[in-house]
């Protein structure tokens, strides 16, 4: 007999993270000895650079390391973050406007918890990173989804933002470059959005976790840098997971209006306290040490990006916009939705298609539905070239077998 557990109703609309679920499924199949190629995880395959690990290792022997730190993170790290973000966003950020958390995911969670009253609305352009709507709902808010089109390179327009605003709208999430589409906003697009944000008196939640991963002629344009008016109403969310291959160290940070950072720090102080001390030391080394590793990893991602897009575009019926940032390709596979597998199953939607691809095709990709974009799938190219060639080949052969 199991205990009849009653769970909090706030969890009713919440889904598990599909990116983590797909990654876990592929890992389990691999652990069972099955040869699966995984494009699931949004995680660099590189090791954390040696100088960052060395700094953490050396720190372990120093007295006081491994104790609680300031809830918001150690001052030298907050100073380094404030200096870097001030330079990137052409504004002045003080160390007490910075909160270091257990990954940018935690930063965003603290942010929505600190910001939203029940029923407050947050504008989220789709395709969106899977966790935004669920985090907003966990905080009692209402996600308002703004659909974008592949033909427009998935850019949300100022007109859409204006039309979606209600008296309850508090903020817009801008994830630039985007997970899952790899889209990067142009300067003109950022300036257009900046205008409507001021007109509608919105806060901008600028999730910049991929800002250093842009390719070709694309450039990252900061909305906070557009004008002092924008700087004061932008919360910057950033971190080291993607840029420095530090996903497991779990360090992200937020910089923004002092009152908001203080409120978020209060929440953090009543929940997790400081993020891991040793990870803070590693992050300081990442931010202040040589940046060569960033350029090297970016170059490798770029080569993989070009190869993956080329291979995907060669599959009949599949279209794929050029991703200009982050490390994801987001092809439209809707031509294959509704087809029958050779085993006789109807693959009615992208979720079933992805389930079949992993079970039968032995290749894991994330269904677009999780990102608010049915008919698409997401592939991470933060994996080896051999993986890309083998895995996309598997997709091509599997799709060709559908009738
Ligand atoms: N924002 C986006 C857009 C992401 O893709 C992720 C996932 N890595 C995060 C935030 C959170 O990253 P982390 O918690 O590893 O810092
Ligand atoms: N953000 C990465 C992804 O989208 C890692 C998993 C997660 O936290 O969602 O795959």
């Amino acid at each position: 007999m199991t205990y009849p557990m009653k769970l909090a109703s706030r969890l009713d609309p919440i889904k598990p993270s599909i990116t983590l679920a797909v990654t876990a499924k592929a890992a389990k199949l691999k652990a069972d000895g099955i040869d699966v190629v995984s494009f699931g995880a949004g995680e660099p395959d590189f090791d954390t650079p040696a100088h960052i690990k060395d700094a953490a290792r050396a720190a372990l022997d120093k007295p006081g390391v491994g104790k609680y730190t300031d809830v918001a993170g150690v001052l030298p790290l907050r100073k380094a973050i404030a200096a870097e973000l001030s330079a990137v966003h052409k504004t002045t950020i003080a160390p007490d406007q910075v909160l270091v958390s257990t990954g940018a995911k935690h930063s965003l969670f603290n942010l929505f918890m600190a910001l939203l009253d029940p029923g407050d609305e947050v504008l989220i352009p789709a395709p969106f990173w899977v966790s935004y709507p669920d985090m907003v709902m966990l905080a009692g808010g209402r996600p308002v989804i703004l659909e974008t089109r592949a033909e427009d390179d998935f850019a949300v327009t100022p007109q859409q933002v204006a039309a979606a605003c209600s008296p309850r709208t508090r903020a817009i999430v801008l994830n630039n470059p985007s997970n899952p589409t790899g889209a990067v906003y142009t300067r003109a697009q950022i300036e257009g959005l900046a205008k409507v944000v001021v007109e509608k008196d919105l806060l901008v939640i600028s999730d910049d976790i991929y800002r250093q991963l842009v390719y070709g002629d694309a450039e990252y344009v900061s909305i906070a840098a557009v004008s002092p008016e924008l700087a004061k109403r932008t919360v910057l969310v950033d971190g080291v997971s993607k840029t420095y291959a530090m996903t497991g160290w779990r360090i992200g940070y937020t910089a923004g209006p002092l009152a908001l950072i203080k409120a978020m720090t209060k929440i953090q102080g009543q929940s997790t306290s400081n993020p891991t001390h040793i990870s803070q030391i590693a992050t300081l080394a990442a931010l202040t040490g040589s940046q060569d590793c960033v350029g090297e990893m970016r170059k490798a991602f770029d080569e993989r990006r070009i190869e993956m897009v080329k291979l995907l575009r060669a599959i009949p019926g599949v279209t794929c916009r050029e991703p200009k940032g982050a490390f994801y390709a987001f092809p439209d596979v809707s031509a294959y939705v509704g087809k029958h597998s050779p085993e006789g199953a109807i693959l009615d939607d992208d979720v079933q298609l992805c389930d079949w691809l992993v079970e039968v095709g032995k290749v894991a990709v994330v269904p677009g539905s999780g990102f608010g974009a049915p008919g698409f799938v997401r592939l991470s190219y933060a994996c080896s070239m051999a993986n890309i060639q083998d895995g996309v080949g598997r997709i091509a052969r599997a799709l060709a077998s559908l009738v």
Side-chain angles (χ1 to χ4, degrees):
M1 250 279 279
T2 49
Y3 180 72
M5 184 66 72
K6 174 167 175 340
L7 298 174
S9 54
R10 82 172 72 83
L11 281 174
D12 292 349
I14 307 301
K15 305 172 294 306
S17 162
I18 187 134
T19 44
L20 296 183
V22 169
T23 308
K25 182 161 185 176
K28 172 153 190 336
L29 289 170
K30 275 188 198 165
D32 291 345
I34 297 168
D35 164 35
V36 172
V37 174
S38 179
F39 294 127
E43 173 167 57
D45 59 331
F46 297 105
D47 250 354
T48 302
H51 70 280
I52 299 174
K53 285 190 185 177
D54 288 346
R57 214 177 275 120
L60 276 175
D61 290 328
K62 295 201 179 128
V65 170
K67 302 289 186 195
Y68 291 132
T69 72
D70 279 355
V71 168
V74 294
L75 187 57
L77 176 57
R78 283 185 290 124
K79 277 187 176 165
I81 294 168
E84 166 159 341
L85 296 184
S86 296
V88 170
H89 300 282
K90 299 188 174 50
T91 181
T92 309
I93 296 166
D96 61 356
Q97 286 176 272
V98 173
L99 170 64
V100 187
S101 301
T102 306
K105 206 172 209 174
H106 187 211
S107 304
L108 285 158
F109 186 78
N110 284 335
L111 171 49
F112 292 126
M113 290 298 282
L115 187 67
L116 301 176
D117 270 330
D120 279 353
E121 295 173 3
V122 178
L123 306 182
I124 303 177
F128 47 74
W129 177 47
V130 291
S131 296
Y132 298 135
D134 293 82
M135 283 189 191
V136 167
M137 288 189 283
L138 271 173
R142 203 169 81 76
V144 175
I145 308 300
L146 307 182
E147 306 285 344
T148 66
R149 304 187 317 159
E151 304 87 283
D152 303 327
D153 274 328
F154 302 106
V156 74
T157 65
Q159 294 74 15
Q160 273 181 294
V161 174
C165 282
S166 82
R168 298 303 307 265
T169 313
R170 301 289 314 279
I172 179 166
V173 177
L174 205 62
N175 177 211
N176 182 34
S178 155
N179 173 4
T181 66
V184 178
Y185 280 93
T186 63
R187 185 169 296 281
Q189 286 168 335
I190 289 287
E191 284 171 359
L193 289 172
K195 220 164 149 234
V196 71
V197 156
V198 175
E199 275 162 24
K200 296 291 178 185
D201 193 18
L202 303 179
L203 186 77
V204 183
I205 298 170
S206 189
D207 182 344
D208 302 328
I209 193 108
Y210 299 102
R211 80 178 149 80
Q212 301 210 52
L213 297 176
V214 289
Y215 314 105
D217 57 5
E219 64 162 335
Y220 166 82
V221 179
S222 158
I223 194 161
V226 168
S227 69
E229 182 54 45
L230 264 298
K232 81 175 190 215
R233 59 175 68 239
T234 301
V235 199
L236 303 165
V237 179
D238 213 322
V240 287
S241 285
K242 317 291 172 170
T243 314
Y244 300 96
M246 289 178 71
T247 45
W249 296 80
R250 308 305 304 129
I251 295 287
Y253 29 88
T254 328
L258 190 57
L260 180 60
I261 296 298
K262 277 192 168 164
M264 291 170 62
T265 308
K266 181 161 74 177
I267 293 168
Q268 187 158 301
Q270 292 289 27
S271 50
T272 58
S273 302
N274 63 275
T276 309
H277 189 188
I278 200 75
S279 293
Q280 294 186 54
I281 292 166
T283 299
L284 185 58
L287 296 183
T288 55
S290 163
Q291 299 300 298
D292 291 352
C293 56
V294 178
E296 285 157 20
M297 289 190 275
R298 186 194 304 117
K299 185 167 173 290
F301 290 142
D302 192 12
E303 287 162 7
R304 297 161 180 193
R305 169 184 82 107
I306 290 165
E307 180 71 4
M308 182 178 264
V309 171
K310 184 189 84 187
L311 295 174
L312 286 169
R313 285 179 174 168
I315 303 176
V318 171
T319 56
C320 185
R321 308 294 295 183
E322 184 194 352
K324 297 191 170 148
F327 38 56
Y328 307 103
F330 200 59
D332 180 341
V333 296
S334 55
Y336 292 93
V337 170
K339 291 205 172 196
H340 289 72
S341 72
E343 304 80 39
I346 303 184
L347 306 175
D348 264 336
D349 56 27
D350 55 294
V351 177
Q352 290 182 15
L353 183 64
C354 290
D355 280 346
W356 177 79
L357 277 175
V358 72
E359 299 287 342
V360 179
K362 304 286 182 269
V363 52
V365 300
V366 190
S369 301
F371 306 94
F376 289 78
V377 292
R378 190 194 79 176
L379 292 82
S380 163
Y381 52 81
C383 58
S384 72
M385 203 59 117
N387 237 47
I388 290 171
Q389 287 157 352
D390 180 5
V392 181
R394 292 181 191 208
I395 295 175
R397 285 192 297 281
L399 293 180
S401 76
L402 297 178
V403 283

